[in-house]
Amino acid sequence: MTPPAAASVRSVQPPQPLALYGPDFAADPHGHYRRLRAHGPLAPVRIAAGIDALLVTDYQAAVDLLRDTHTFTKDPRAWQATVPADAPVLPMLGYRPTALFSDGDVHARYRDAINDGLAMIEPHILRAEVARVARRLIREFAASGSGDLVAQYARRLPLHIFTTWFGVPPEDRERIVEGIGGMFNSADDAAAAYADLVTVVTRLVADRRARPRRDLTSYFLGHPAGLDNDETVRQITLMMSAGHDPTTNLIGNALLHMLTDARYAGSLQRGAMTAHEAINEVLWQDPPLANLAAHYPRHDTEFHGVRLRAGQLLLVSYAAANTQSEHATSDPGVRSGGSAHLAWSAGPHRCPAKQPALLIAMTAIEQLTSQLCDAELAVPASELMWRPGPFHRALMHLPVRFTPLEMNPDTEPAGPSEVSISH
């Protein structure tokens, strides 16, 4: 249910919404969030030229929005009809037949296929594969004494895992990551990037429809939900985009946190507990998916004292809500482990891949810190660049230096090229 209206209902229509898509926002998002809070729990923002939204920056308002399926819908089509067809945010926000843009029974049907597919991934097999790929990637630059932990590690490791899950041919893997990155950047080439991603996955789905294999693409096609080819393509592109870029950013942001926070000085070699602490703090302070969870009022309404129009775009700022109210909650539906951050969202659309994503990030950090325990930033932290875009918190590069290390080639087998599906 929508919370009771405040004593005086506000209409949020200032002349200049705050832009979230340029280099100024990328360089100082928390400064922007502080300014936005002056407008109350919902603040006016601009997410692309001429495209405005209300951003929920208040913790309680965010939880209420994420759980209120009666007042709000996830279907963007009414809003989408009001924006230009070439708007660069549409690859992220435009309607597709997926769990992200559906409600009720339709959402449940798509969500069941995704949940059941993820359940096919055995955690111990995933951990072993992540560790194997991590060692291979580290070995490629360990002897040089320097490396870029984003380009050479954090981006490449999830790419291998996600494309292996779905059986993407090696020659198409870079196109996958470029398509996903273009979507999140929401620049002028976003539509072309998303279209190329869809092209690659469409070809993959057609191949698996004709020649099934032991991968998640084939599993989706045979799922009792009865997904057609296009629905299968859209669930796969959703899982890839929601999985690869945020996992890359989580690894990169957590490594940066460990390299720059004085509390972690000299402790990179401590292993799992340090990795766990760094990941949890990043999920609170700089979640890799900073602003999303698009919702639209089903009718004109009032929400936390603000008048809303039917079909108006509302986004949740996980980052702003977390830092606005860093406290535990008694609501078990919102808790994440022992914390109350919203990095995994909440309500019926909460992230279904929390556990594999955490396992990938944790294992990746454990492997790197156990090998390169004296790594340090190769440039001042103030010189690091962040990728512009309204939705993510993502480093462009993370250059480090360390004592050169000669690593022996792995003696274990190369590992399966297909996902081991349990029945």
Side-chain angles (χ1 to χ4, degrees):
M1 296 293 293
T2 304
S8 61
V9 176
R10 299 180 305 279
S11 180
V12 181
Q13 294 179 334
Q16 289 296 325
L18 197 60
L20 301 187
Y21 59 95
D24 290 345
F25 173 70
D28 182 25
H30 290 288
H32 283 65
Y33 300 143
R34 285 192 294 272
R35 290 191 288 275
L36 288 169
R37 290 195 190 101
H39 296 284
L42 284 75
V45 295
R46 183 156 292 163
I47 56 175
I51 309 295
D52 293 347
L54 289 178
L55 188 70
V56 179
T57 61
D58 177 80
Y59 182 93
Q60 188 59 54
V63 172
D64 292 338
L65 176 67
L66 292 167
R67 303 186 70 176
D68 187 351
T69 60
H70 175 74
T71 307
F72 299 96
T73 178
K74 293 286 289 180
D75 189 327
R77 283 175 285 191
W79 166 80
Q80 191 172 340
T82 68
V83 303
D86 60 351
V89 295
L90 287 182
M92 287 291 290
L93 302 179
Y95 176 79
R96 274 94 70 185
T98 73
L100 185 61
F101 302 109
S102 305
D103 305 301
D105 291 343
V106 176
H107 170 253
R109 173 172 168 257
Y110 293 146
R111 179 88 175 201
D112 285 348
I114 291 172
N115 286 342
D116 292 347
L118 289 169
M120 296 295 100
I121 307 300
E122 296 284 357
H124 70 281
I125 295 176
L126 177 58
R127 179 183 291 277
E129 180 69 357
V130 173
R132 186 187 68 81
V133 176
R135 290 192 294 270
R136 175 174 61 79
L137 293 175
I138 295 167
R139 191 168 60 244
E140 291 179 2
F141 62 85
S144 69
S146 65
D148 180 344
L149 298 186
V150 169
Q152 294 177 279
Y153 191 69
R155 185 176 296 134
R156 293 179 62 193
L157 196 156
L159 173 64
H160 173 92
I161 299 301
F162 281 94
T163 54
T164 299
W165 281 1
F166 290 102
V168 177
E171 62 271 19
D172 286 336
R173 291 182 175 183
E174 285 302 320
R175 290 175 66 184
I176 293 288
V177 75
E178 289 171 5
I180 295 168
M183 289 175 60
F184 275 91
N185 291 344
S186 297
D188 291 341
D189 60 351
Y194 178 67
D196 193 54
L197 174 64
V198 170
T199 296
V200 171
V201 178
T202 298
R203 185 169 62 242
L204 173 66
V205 167
D207 178 78
R208 293 301 190 269
R209 180 73 77 178
R211 292 173 290 277
R213 297 173 64 178
R214 292 181 65 84
D215 55 33
L216 287 187
T217 300
S218 302
Y219 179 80
F220 275 13
L221 287 167
H223 191 272
L227 303 178
D228 63 27
N229 278 18
D230 184 60
E231 289 176 318
T232 303
V233 168
R234 303 301 175 165
Q235 306 325 304
I236 292 174
T237 56
L238 170 62
M239 289 184 68
M240 286 182 172
S241 58
H244 177 271
D245 228 50
T247 305
T248 294
N249 301 341
L250 179 56
I251 296 170
N253 294 359
L255 287 170
L256 174 62
H257 188 56
M258 296 174 71
L259 290 164
T260 56
D261 191 312
R263 294 172 300 148
Y264 292 90
S267 66
L268 292 185
Q269 71 273 23
R270 288 183 187 172
M273 182 55 67
T274 296
H276 173 78
E277 291 171 347
I279 287 172
N280 195 54
E281 290 184 351
V282 161
L283 289 171
W284 267 106
Q285 300 165 10
D286 267 319
L289 195 59
N291 307 298
L292 198 56
H295 286 72
Y296 310 86
R298 297 178 185 274
H299 45 76
D300 292 354
T301 189
E302 297 172 4
F303 180 74
H304 280 262
V306 179
R307 290 192 180 95
L308 303 177
R309 306 184 310 274
Q312 186 172 8
L313 171 60
L314 277 71
L315 299 173
V316 172
S317 178
Y318 305 128
N322 285 349
T323 55
Q324 182 266 343
S325 184
E326 293 185 359
H327 62 275
T329 176
S330 60
D331 184 348
V334 182
R335 294 180 68 84
S336 176
S339 301
H341 62 68
L342 296 177
W344 306 108
S345 194
H349 286 268
R350 64 191 178 277
C351 178
K354 171 187 169 183
Q355 295 306 326
L358 281 174
L359 191 152
I360 293 169
M362 187 81 68
T363 306
I365 294 171
E366 290 171 2
Q367 288 293 320
L368 189 131
T369 56
S370 68
Q371 299 290 340
L372 309 180
C373 56
D374 65 345
E376 61 182 11
L377 281 179
V379 299
S382 60
E383 295 182 10
L384 295 172
M385 301 294 292
W386 298 85
R387 285 166 50 199
F391 306 113
H392 56 207
R393 182 63 171 158
L395 284 162
M396 288 185 178
H397 301 285
L398 185 57
V400 295
R401 55 177 173 255
F402 48 84
T403 301
L405 177 66
E406 293 291 343
M407 295 177 61
N408 294 325
D410 287 346
T411 57
E412 59 201 89
S417 60
E418 298 177 338
V419 175
S420 177
I421 300 294
S422 59
H423 296 279

